């Protein structure tokens, strides 16, 4: 199979006759596909460079790095002897430590050398200076000398050889282009800056083909099975380096995973866990019986529960994003819970966590009202490289790396700054996010839940807030108005229709709490109060039906605030006056507490209690 050279290498070969120095930055620590004596192979950058320039008559490379000093590549007698003679090297065990001043002299001699074609690679060049904006006098003098050499060098035809004139170049290897003084590359027309990008789809496909024979079962597989493996390996490693593909192959061998488990091998590399809760048979059984479990905790929201279960079933079957080429990398599920406050949106997210992962500690919550300012993105996602705190990572990326199998809740998403929302485009589409440290968090095994109160209130033409939907409206009307309001918000107010498009049809609209559901919620809260009273004071709570009905009327009179409103009213009408009454009652030896009446005077509620 013919594999074309990487773009950066083609540019280097093309520019050799007219550029004396090259700055290579970006993905420099990756492996690269290169033709070698035995055929195509994955090799380090140095070997890839050597195989390329060797075909143009280069006889050796000199490689310098601040840790080990100077060495000759390839480490062969002929190359080593020629380099030692031409540059008067004093190698010890193949290495020679030299100062920056000696390195600049070596650059000058190399640029003028006529007897041999050769190149100097300055590796780990990002570590040559403490900081390129605060250079010492020696460091500044070194870079000025390097700039001067780049301008004074000229392309040469080596003696006794045939070929076109080319430079003996200096090649700088950097993590980031800005790690060198900016004036060094900007002020010299002889310095070319080339960025090495992450491998594209075709390159990863070629690398997968080279690594495929190392997987158990590949040699005996059918052509169709091989093709399916190559496609899965390539698509599953989108955004990864070729070194990562090699590591996945090694991981599969150590975990005894064959070619048919390539998805598990890729996931294990991404999230660091071989055990996949999504593949467990018991999860499907739990989802089949989940409707009753969810409705016990989230009452009166059957349409929302049914829609959520549909999305959850799709996630469990691995069909999320199945229509897209790179859909396997997307989050397992995306849910946008919209509706009035206090109707169970957050509770449903917790219930999903308990259902899928069996532990609410796998639930990660981010209150997006804390990220209303643009600068808070550094806290959530990590500061950009070079800024204070960039090496700490972001709260979101760190949390997902620690708990790759989780439900991630973004509460009240409309309160976040629009620039922060832009980051969700990458998460929803590619299933990953890279922080300021360069570490990538993978969201492919998470369920993302957004909650919002959009559509409940709108603004009129004068900017006054008014209610768009209200208790008592039919659910179909509530759903339609809320969906329209969400669409208008993303399309016209934020001008980000692409974010809404990635959420797609995963918007789940919750209804207002109805009267019969409010009674169920009230009774459940009343049972919680009775249980707590028994746990803390060993008292059994009792009240006549008339007192219970009075409490119910007071707590469910206004349902606009949903279940939280019922809880707040119950705290005011029962828990607070009950606490006062308990302080004034002798409870010694008492086993039962009866609330015999409710009184209100000057807006202060009190209870009549009898302890027996």
């Amino acid at each position: 199979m013919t594999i074309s050279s990487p773009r950066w290498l083609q540019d280097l070969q093309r520019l050799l006759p007219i550029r004396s120095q090259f700055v290579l930055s970006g993905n420099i620590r990756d492996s690269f596909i290169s033709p070698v004596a035995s055929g195509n192979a994955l090799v380090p950058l140095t070997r890839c460079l050597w195989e390329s320039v060797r075909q143009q008559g280069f006889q050796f490379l000199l490689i310098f790095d601040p840790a080990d000093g100077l060495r000759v590549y390839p480490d062969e007698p002929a190359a080593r002897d020629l380099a030692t003679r031409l540059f008067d090297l004093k190698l010890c065990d193949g290495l020679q430590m030299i100062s920056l001043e000696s390195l600049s002299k070596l650059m000058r001699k190399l640029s003028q050398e006529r007897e041999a074609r050769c190149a100097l690679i300055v590796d780990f060049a990002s570590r040559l200076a403490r900081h390129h904006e605060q250079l010492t006098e020696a460091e500044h003098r070194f870079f000025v000398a390097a700039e001067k050499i780049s301008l004074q060098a000229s392309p040469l035809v080596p003696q006794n050889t045939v070929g076109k004139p080319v430079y003996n170049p200096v090649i700088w290897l950097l993590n980031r282009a800005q790690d060198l003084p900016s004036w060094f590359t900007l002020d010299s027309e002889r310095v070319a800056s080339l960025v090495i990008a992450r491998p594209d789809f075709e390159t990863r496909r070629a690398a997968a083909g080279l690594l495929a024979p190392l997987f158990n079962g590949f040699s005996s597989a059918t052509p169709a099975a091989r093709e399916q493996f190559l496609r899965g390996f390539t698509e599953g490693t989108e955004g990864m380096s070729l070194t990562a593909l090699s590591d996945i192959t090694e991981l599969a061998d150590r975990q005894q995973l064959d070619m048919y488990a390539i998805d598990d091998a890729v996931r294990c590399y991404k999230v660091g866990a071989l055990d996949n809760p999504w593949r467990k048979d018991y999860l499907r059984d739990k989802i089949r019986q989940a409707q009753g479990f969810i409705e016990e905790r989230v009452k009166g929201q059957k349409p929302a529960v049914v829609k959520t279960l549909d999305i959850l079933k799709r996630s469990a079957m691995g069909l999320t994003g199945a229509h897209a080429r790179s859909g396997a990398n997307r989050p397992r599920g995306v849910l946008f819970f919209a509706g009035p406050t206090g109707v169970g949106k957050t509770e449903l997210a917790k219930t999903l966590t308990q259902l899928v992962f069996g532990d609410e500690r796998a639930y990660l919550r981010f209150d997006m009202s804390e990220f209303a300012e643009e600068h808070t993105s550094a806290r959530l996602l990590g500061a950009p490289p070079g800024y204070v705190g960039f090496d700490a990572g972001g709260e979101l990326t760190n949390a997902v790396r620690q708990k790759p199998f989780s439900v991630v809740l973004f509460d009240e998403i409309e309160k976040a700054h629009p620039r922060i929302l832009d980051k969700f485009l990458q998460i929803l589409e590619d299933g990953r996010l890279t922080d300021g440290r360069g570490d990538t968090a993978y969201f492919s095994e998470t369920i993302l839940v957004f909650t919002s109160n959009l559509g409940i209130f709108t603004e009129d033409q004068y900017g006054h807030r008014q209610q768009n939907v209200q208790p008592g409206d039919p659910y179909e009307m509530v759903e339609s108005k809320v969906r329209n309001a969400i669409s208008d918000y993303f399309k016209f107010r934020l001008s980000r229709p692409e974010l809404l498009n990635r959420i797609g049809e995963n918007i789940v609209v919750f209804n207002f709490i109805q009267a019969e559901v409010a009674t169920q919620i009230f009774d459940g809260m009343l049972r919680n109060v009775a249980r707590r009273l028994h746990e803390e004071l060993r008292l059994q709570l009792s009240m006549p039906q008339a007192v219970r009905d009075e409490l119910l009327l007071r707590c469910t009179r206004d349902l606009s605030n949903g279940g939280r409103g019922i809880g707040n009213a119950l705290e005011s009408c029962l828990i607070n006056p009950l606490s006062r009454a308990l302080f004034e009652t002798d409870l010694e030896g008492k086993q039962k507490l009866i609330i015999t009446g409710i009184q209100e005077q000057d807006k202060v509620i009190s209870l009549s209690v009898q302890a027996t």
Side-chain angles (χ1 to χ4, degrees):
M1 178 175 58
T2 303
I3 302 174
S4 60
S5 300
R7 172 65 183 273
W8 65 267
L9 189 56
Q10 296 178 29
D11 289 342
L12 186 143
Q13 293 168 338
R14 176 173 54 84
L15 295 173
L16 267 176
I18 59 174
R19 295 289 185 269
S20 61
Q21 297 191 25
F22 294 86
V23 174
L24 303 185
S25 62
N27 193 36
I28 60 173
R29 303 301 170 198
D30 201 359
S31 298
F32 300 88
I33 301 175
S34 178
V36 296
S38 58
N40 290 322
L42 290 173
V43 300
L45 177 64
T46 301
R47 176 74 181 276
C48 182
L49 281 170
W50 168 243
E51 295 297 338
S52 174
V53 299
R54 183 171 63 87
Q55 298 175 9
Q56 300 190 36
F58 281 68
Q59 293 159 278
F60 61 86
L61 302 175
L62 295 175
I63 301 179
F64 170 84
D65 72 70
D68 295 329
L70 191 67
R71 61 188 175 95
V72 180
Y73 188 92
D75 189 13
E76 299 172 353
R80 193 165 51 246
D81 292 345
L82 178 60
T84 299
R85 179 175 60 84
L86 294 178
F87 295 99
D88 192 26
L89 303 182
K90 304 293 189 294
L91 300 175
C92 178
D93 294 331
L95 300 172
Q96 178 181 344
M97 295 302 299
I98 62 175
S99 65
L100 290 181
E101 182 179 0
S102 298
L103 181 60
S104 64
K105 292 179 180 178
L106 181 65
M107 289 181 184
R108 185 175 300 280
K109 184 171 177 57
L110 177 110
S111 68
Q112 298 170 351
E113 180 57 52
R114 290 181 175 273
E115 187 174 338
R117 280 186 170 173
C118 51
L120 170 65
I121 296 178
V122 183
D123 203 358
F124 294 94
S126 297
R127 308 293 179 255
L128 281 179
R130 293 177 303 176
H131 194 284
H132 62 80
E133 294 180 353
Q134 299 175 346
L135 299 176
T136 65
E137 183 178 351
E139 292 166 349
H140 181 76
R141 188 163 52 247
F142 167 73
F143 285 113
V144 171
E147 179 189 12
K148 186 175 180 180
I149 291 168
S150 72
L151 295 169
Q152 291 180 342
S154 58
L156 305 170
V157 177
Q159 300 171 0
N160 304 319
T161 62
V162 178
K164 297 180 180 180
V166 295
Y167 288 93
N168 282 345
V170 176
I171 302 174
W172 306 78
L173 302 185
L174 303 170
N175 298 331
R176 294 169 293 272
Q178 60 266 33
D179 288 341
L180 286 184
S182 57
W183 48 262
F184 176 72
T185 53
L186 293 176
D187 294 345
S188 176
E189 294 183 351
R190 296 300 183 190
V191 179
S193 295
L194 305 177
V195 178
I196 302 178
R198 291 276 177 149
D200 58 17
F201 181 88
E202 297 302 328
T203 304
R204 296 197 316 278
R205 170 82 179 207
L210 294 175
L211 296 168
L214 301 176
F215 282 81
N216 291 332
F218 185 83
S219 59
S220 59
T222 64
R226 292 185 179 188
E227 175 62 26
Q228 183 177 358
F229 164 81
L230 292 174
R231 185 172 60 251
F233 199 2
T234 305
E235 293 178 352
T237 53
E238 183 176 357
M240 293 187 183
S241 64
L242 299 190
T243 299
L245 270 69
S246 298
D247 291 343
I248 291 170
T249 304
E250 176 69 19
L251 183 64
D253 180 62
R254 291 179 179 271
Q255 297 290 340
Q256 298 181 343
L257 300 174
D258 59 23
M259 60 171 285
Y260 299 100
I262 184 60
D263 291 345
D264 290 331
V266 172
R267 188 194 66 258
C268 183
Y269 176 84
K270 287 180 176 180
V271 303
L274 185 60
D275 189 41
N276 184 1
W278 293 104
R279 296 285 181 87
K280 301 297 184 182
D281 291 336
Y282 68 76
L283 178 59
R284 298 183 186 180
D285 294 335
K286 290 171 69 175
I287 293 176
R288 290 190 189 99
Q289 305 167 15
Q291 185 162 340
F293 172 75
I294 296 176
E295 290 181 345
E296 180 65 25
R297 295 183 58 172
V298 182
K299 300 184 182 299
Q301 303 294 343
K302 186 172 183 178
V305 172
V306 171
K307 178 68 180 257
T308 300
L309 283 174
D310 285 344
I311 296 172
L312 187 58
K313 291 172 184 176
R314 183 182 67 196
S315 303
M317 299 306 296
L319 295 178
T320 299
H323 58 285
R325 183 176 185 179
S326 59
N329 296 322
R330 295 178 179 179
R332 281 280 177 168
V334 177
L335 292 160
F336 192 104
F337 291 164
T341 182
V343 296
K345 300 189 293 294
T346 302
E347 183 65 23
L348 182 51
K350 293 180 180 179
T351 306
L352 282 178
T353 309
Q354 181 70 33
L355 178 67
V356 177
F357 303 114
D359 184 0
E360 283 194 9
R361 288 177 297 180
Y363 159 84
L364 304 172
R365 179 179 179 272
F366 295 89
D367 186 345
M368 300 312 291
S369 64
E370 299 178 10
F371 303 96
E373 303 297 331
E374 183 176 1
H375 65 83
T376 55
S377 64
R379 178 182 145 204
L380 183 67
L381 310 170
Y387 285 76
V388 174
F390 81 95
D391 54 348
E395 292 181 14
L396 173 58
T397 51
N398 290 344
V400 172
R401 273 195 297 270
Q402 292 171 8
K403 296 180 179 179
F405 297 95
S406 58
V407 172
V408 188
L409 173 65
F410 301 100
D411 216 357
E412 298 185 286
I413 187 65
E414 73 275 8
K415 294 184 179 179
H417 192 278
R419 291 292 179 86
I420 295 178
L421 295 180
D422 291 340
K423 293 294 183 180
F424 290 108
L425 291 173
Q426 182 179 351
I427 297 175
L428 294 172
E429 185 67 23
D430 301 328
R432 68 177 187 270
L433 195 63
T434 302
D435 61 22
R437 295 182 303 190
D439 295 332
T440 300
Y442 294 96
F443 292 76
S444 55
E445 306 304 324
T446 65
I447 296 178
L448 302 185
V449 179
F450 302 93
T451 72
S452 172
N453 296 323
L454 286 171
I456 305 305
F457 293 92
T458 57
E459 292 183 357
D460 60 19
Q461 58 182 336
Y462 304 106
H464 297 150
R465 182 178 168 91
Q466 60 183 10
Q467 195 152 356
N468 187 36
V469 291
Q470 52 192 344
D473 288 345
Y475 174 73
E476 292 75 14
M477 178 186 296
V478 173
E479 182 181 34
S480 176
K481 287 187 174 182
V482 169
R483 281 180 172 273
N484 290 337
I486 293 172
S487 178
D488 290 345
Y489 179 80
F490 282 102
K491 288 181 179 179
F492 304 116
R493 185 169 176 180
L494 290 185
S495 298
R496 283 167 175 80
E498 63 276 10
L499 184 57
L500 180 66
N501 196 32
R502 281 164 175 78
I503 296 171
E505 293 299 314
N506 297 329
I507 297 175
V508 179
V509 179
F510 285 63
N511 197 6
F512 285 95
I513 297 296
Q514 304 299 315
E516 63 275 13
V517 177
T519 301
Q520 298 175 25
I521 294 174
F522 169 82
D523 287 337
M525 291 180 176
L526 200 58
R527 285 193 295 270
N528 291 339
V529 173
R531 183 175 64 251
R532 180 69 65 85
L533 192 64
H534 185 267
E535 290 173 352
E536 297 293 335
L537 301 174
R538 295 291 184 264
L539 290 174
Q540 181 181 354
L541 180 66
S542 177
M543 66 181 70
Q545 183 66 34
V547 175
R548 180 262 183 194
D549 292 344
E550 174 68 16
L551 279 174
L552 175 63
L553 179 63
R554 289 175 178 269
C555 294
T556 59
R557 184 178 294 132
D558 180 8
L559 297 179
S560 60
N561 290 319
R564 288 196 188 94
I566 296 174
N568 293 336
L570 189 64
E571 187 175 76
S572 176
C573 297
L574 174 64
I575 298 175
N576 289 344
L578 178 61
S579 299
R580 291 196 301 270
L582 289 173
F583 263 98
E584 299 169 359
T585 304
D586 182 10
L587 301 176
E588 184 68 27
K590 302 299 191 283
Q591 297 180 347
K592 188 173 183 179
L593 185 72
I594 303 173
I595 301 176
T596 58
I598 302 176
Q599 301 86 34
E600 181 175 355
Q601 184 175 4
D602 297 331
K603 297 185 178 181
V604 176
I605 298 175
S606 59
L607 301 177
S608 301
V609 300
Q610 178 182 347
T612 61

